[in-house]
Amino acid sequence: MGLNSNMANREVCDLIFLDYATKKPFLNLDYANVSTTELTGESVFAYGGKGHPKKVQFSGERGGTITIETQIQSAKLWQLITGGDVSKTAKFVVRKEIVTEDGTEVTLPDTPVAGTVAVYKLNDDCGEALACTVANASVTLTTPVAANDTVIVYYMKEVTDKVQRISVKSTSFPKNFVVYGDTVMKTENDEVLGYRMIGYKVAPQSNMSLSFSNNGDAGTITITGDLMADSDDNILDLILLEDE
């Protein structure tokens, strides 16, 4: 009786993304807050007669979108949206305030990338750089400051362990995916039906906004995928299961 009953939903879909080319699992996205499926199409009409009325309707350009909103993120999710390459090394600039006991020698916590060290007095941050020489993690000030003075050091740090870098280039494009959705529907008779959704060929749009704020709700990221037809013209399946 449940499959023929009126029903409603108030639960998000858990989603599994499979690489469209290999059909291998790529991402288990079971932490979304909102998942929306929209089907689209275009109607074109043939007109004829007095008053230019519509006589014949043609349907085409079938498609749609899957939209996901989540506050939980991962590097794998960023890769899905951007199509960027993942690597295990990264370089970035760091800023350190370091006390020089003798006014001449400064020891950095890392070995900097060659040619990237810049040293400033504490009261002249990003002002006039102090002349120095660098050997590994040791910096020697050519013109000493006072003993026990604090200096500010900027340098490029290279990390080769415990790091993931998503490299997005102008030539990076997301892969296509098969997407399986899983949630529940509730009927007017208080029955719970299993709901499954299959998007046969989903192309993530290359739009991503990463917001960082020190107040309000946790940042939300929105992923939108275009629904396309696969090689068998399949676009979307909506499945109800009575025994779940």
Side-chain angles (χ1 to χ4, degrees):
M1 180 177 179
L3 295 178
N4 296 316
S5 301
N6 295 331
M7 57 189 174
N9 167 268
R10 199 174 184 274
E11 187 57 276
V12 70
C13 276
D14 291 337
L15 299 162
I16 300 172
F17 288 78
L18 271 59
D19 186 302
Y20 180 77
T22 66
K23 301 302 185 287
K24 292 183 178 180
F26 181 86
L27 175 67
N28 177 39
L29 202 162
D30 59 357
Y31 43 78
N33 294 322
V34 180
S35 55
T36 305
T37 306
E38 180 180 13
L39 286 171
T40 59
E42 182 174 305
S43 295
V44 178
F45 299 93
Y47 299 81
K50 293 179 179 178
H52 196 58
K54 298 175 181 177
K55 294 286 190 176
V56 182
Q57 183 257 2
F58 302 92
S59 295
E61 298 193 24
R62 298 301 302 270
T65 57
I66 293 176
T67 303
I68 303 148
E69 296 179 19
T70 174
Q71 292 175 309
I72 309 300
Q73 305 172 36
S74 69
K76 197 79 170 181
L77 180 64
W78 297 346
Q79 185 186 11
L80 181 145
I81 302 169
T82 64
D85 295 326
V86 179
S87 61
K88 298 297 184 180
T89 64
K91 293 180 182 179
F92 46 87
V93 173
V94 296
R95 178 186 183 275
K96 300 292 183 180
E97 295 185 7
I98 302 174
V99 175
T100 170
E101 294 182 3
D102 63 358
T104 302
E105 297 298 325
V106 178
T107 302
L108 302 179
D110 317 286
T111 298
V113 175
T116 66
V117 174
V119 184
Y120 301 92
K121 292 182 179 180
L122 186 62
N123 61 357
D124 192 27
D125 192 0
C126 295
E128 183 176 352
L130 301 175
C132 64
T133 59
V134 181
N136 295 321
S138 296
V139 178
T140 302
L141 300 179
T142 304
T143 303
V145 296
N148 296 316
D149 267 7
T150 298
V151 294
I152 300 170
V153 186
Y154 292 89
Y155 61 93
M156 185 77 72
K157 178 178 179 178
E158 183 172 13
V159 182
T160 58
D161 183 40
K162 298 180 180 179
V163 60
Q164 291 187 71
R165 174 168 59 93
I166 309 297
S167 180
V168 183
K169 301 180 180 180
S170 60
T171 54
S172 299
F173 297 98
K175 296 180 178 181
N176 292 330
F177 295 92
V178 183
V179 179
Y180 291 85
D182 171 9
T183 188
V184 293
M185 307 290 288
K186 190 173 183 181
T187 72
E188 291 181 328
N189 297 320
D190 206 29
E191 298 168 303
V192 176
L193 304 179
Y195 170 91
R196 298 290 188 275
M197 178 272 296
I198 305 173
Y200 282 90
K201 190 175 184 181
V202 180
Q205 297 179 6
S206 300
N207 303 314
M208 181 172 69
S209 178
L210 296 175
S211 61
F212 302 90
S213 175
N214 62 0
N215 61 81
D217 292 336
T220 296
I221 187 171
T222 300
I223 307 103
T224 302
D226 291 310
L227 291 171
M228 301 191 298
D230 68 4
S231 58
D232 296 319
D233 296 327
N234 296 311
I235 296 178
L236 183 71
D237 278 358
L238 306 176
I239 304 167
L240 287 175
L241 302 169
E242 192 167 17
D243 294 331
E244 290 235 336

